[in-house]
Amino acid sequence: MKIRKMVAVSAAVGVALACVGFGSSAYAEPVSNSYSLVGSDTLQDSANAIINGTNASGGFLRVTSSNTTLGNFDAFGSTAIQAKPGGPFFGRPSGSGAGVTALRASITGATYSGNAAVPAKAITGQVDIARSSSGPGANANTSGLLAYVPYARDAVGFAYKGGNASWATLTAAQLKAIYECTTTEIDGIAVTPRIPQNGSGTRSFFLSAIGVTTLGSCVNDTGNTTPENDATVLGANQIIPFSAANWISQANGVAGLNTTTAAGVAFGSAIAGQAAFTGSAPNLVPNSTYYSDTKFGRDTYLVVEYARINTADPKYDAGLARLVNPTVANSLTSFGTIGTSVGNVKKKFGFLAPSTTTITRAFATL
C-alpha cells in the first residue's frame, strides 16, 4: 500500500526522474546513483517530495547532490529493494529501527535480512541515510559512531474508528490502561487497541510516551507487520498510534495517498484541551502548542555514519555532509520558511522546525 504513495507524488508534480534506473515498473522505485535513504514511514512522503521534486511550496524544488539524484525507498512495498546500481536486492527496511539496522549493516558489512521472505545478505555501502521518527534512546553515546541529525518536529496522537465524542481526546493514563488491557471500553463502548509493526519509530515513541513496557494480550497485532500511519487498517471501535504530520499531509492531499477519508475514522488528541492541528482539510495546520509538548511532541531525524560528516575523519564525505547540514540552504535537514525552501515543503507535510539542530551521537559499537 505505501509504495503507491511515492508513485502518486511523482505523478502529481510531473517529475521526470532523469538518470534514475527502476528495478520494476510495477513499483517504480529508483536505484540511487548517489545516496540512498531507507527507514521511517513517517518521513518518507516529505522526503519523496524533496528528493523527487515538488511544487508543494509554490515553486519547484528538488534536492540533489552535485546534480546526481538520491534514492528514497518507502517503508512498505515490494519485499526487496535494490538501492545502488549493480547492488544486491535486500529486504526492504520497514520503519525507523529497521532503517538504522540496515545502515549499520551497510557500514560494517554484516548481513541484513529485513524480512523473512528475503535471505540475509551483505549490503555493504548500500544505505547512506536512515530516516528515523524516534531518537536513539538508550543507544545515545557521546562517542557514538552514528549521528542523529534533526529533520523536523512531529507529534503523535491516535487514529480511531467508531466510538463517540469522548474518544476524541484520551489522556496518557487512559491510553496506558487501554494498551495494557486493564481498560477494555471507553464510555461504554468496547475498544480494541492496534499497534504498528515492530521497528516502527511511532510505535516505540507512543508506547514510551504512555508508559507501556509490556503490551496487554488484547492488543491483537503484537509483533505483527501492521503498517503505521494507515487509517484503513482500522476496524470498528479500534485505535492505533498515528503521526500528526502524516495525518495532515494525507488530509491536505500532498502525500499522494489519503487514508484519512476511510469511512468513520478520525484523529484523536492525547493532550486534554489541545488539538494536534487546526483548520479543515485540505488546509490543516499543525498546532505548535501540541507539537511542543514534552510527552507527545517529537523531533525526527536523518541518521548517518558520524565519520562521514566529520571533516577530521579519513572517511569524510563532503557530499553527504552537505545533504544533512542544517546550515546549508535546502539541504535535507534545513528548515528555511521563506519561498521555495525545504522547510516550507516540510510544513506542507505537517512538520514544524525541530526543537534543536544539535546532532546526537549514538551506538558506541555497530
Side-chain angles (χ1 to χ4, degrees):
M1 187 284 295
K2 293 291 181 181
I3 197 70
R4 289 185 289 146
K5 294 164 78 171
M6 178 180 175
V7 174
V9 169
S10 298
V13 299
V15 177
L17 295 176
C19 303
V20 179
F22 293 92
S24 164
S25 59
Y27 296 108
E29 285 192 292
V31 177
S32 172
N33 62 359
S34 62
Y35 303 106
S36 63
L37 298 82
V38 300
S40 168
D41 172 274
T42 300
L43 307 186
Q44 73 180 28
D45 291 331
S46 59
N48 276 335
I50 292 164
I51 287 169
N52 294 340
T54 179
N55 290 308
S57 61
F60 185 77
L61 177 140
R62 186 182 192 185
V63 171
T64 59
S65 178
S66 300
N67 295 318
T68 61
T69 55
L70 313 177
N72 190 53
F73 295 85
D74 284 4
F76 300 94
S78 59
T79 56
I81 62 171
Q82 183 187 33
K84 301 287 182 74
F89 282 84
F90 59 96
R92 180 184 297 274
S94 297
S96 302
V100 171
T101 299
L103 173 63
R104 294 168 65 192
S106 179
I107 296 167
T108 66
T111 59
Y112 177 79
S113 173
N115 58 69
V118 181
K121 61 187 65 177
I123 60 167
T124 307
Q126 300 303 299
V127 175
D128 303 289
I129 302 173
R131 306 183 304 265
S132 181
S133 60
S134 58
N139 293 308
N141 186 289
T142 56
S143 300
L145 302 177
L146 297 185
Y148 279 67
V149 186
Y151 175 80
R153 186 77 174 175
D154 186 21
V156 173
F158 57 93
Y160 65 97
K161 183 174 183 177
N164 57 25
S166 66
W167 289 43
T169 300
L170 298 173
T171 66
Q174 287 176 302
L175 290 165
K176 175 179 171 66
I178 290 167
Y179 276 84
E180 291 180 338
C181 303
T182 57
T183 290
T184 58
E185 62 179 43
I186 307 170
D187 202 16
I189 303 173
V191 59
T192 300
R194 303 286 304 277
I195 198 74
Q197 83 283 358
N198 280 328
S200 161
T202 297
R203 171 185 172 132
S204 60
F205 178 88
F206 176 80
L207 294 178
S208 176
I210 65 175
V212 170
T213 55
T214 303
L215 289 167
S217 59
C218 69
V219 185
N220 70 355
D221 40 9
T222 305
N224 207 323
T225 56
T226 301
E228 58 190 302
N229 303 318
D230 181 358
T232 65
V233 304
L234 292 173
N237 302 327
Q238 293 184 345
I239 67 172
I240 194 168
F242 213 101
S243 155
N246 261 238
W247 186 278
I248 291 169
S249 65
Q250 291 185 40
N252 285 352
V254 294
L257 183 65
N258 185 2
T259 70
T260 70
T261 57
V265 301
F267 189 91
S269 166
I271 306 173
Q274 290 289 337
F277 43 78
T278 59
S280 301
N283 296 300
L284 298 181
V285 178
N287 177 2
S288 60
T289 302
Y290 191 105
Y291 276 53
S292 64
D293 184 75
T294 57
K295 188 183 292 282
F296 290 100
R298 62 174 176 177
D299 286 337
T300 62
Y301 303 88
L302 296 185
V303 188
V304 297
E305 183 180 9
Y306 179 72
R308 295 180 70 187
I309 63 170
N310 177 12
T311 56
D313 196 286
K315 296 181 73 175
Y316 177 68
D317 182 330
L320 181 63
R322 285 183 62 82
L323 276 176
V324 297
N325 185 342
T327 68
V328 173
N330 284 345
S331 71
L332 295 176
T333 59
S334 64
F335 215 98
T337 57
I338 299 174
T340 302
S341 66
V342 166
N344 262 352
V345 172
K346 291 177 186 177
K347 287 177 67 177
K348 296 293 184 181
F349 281 80
F351 293 102
L352 295 177
S355 65
T356 179
T357 57
T358 301
I359 290 171
T360 301
R361 293 175 66 178
F363 291 94
T365 61
L366 296 178

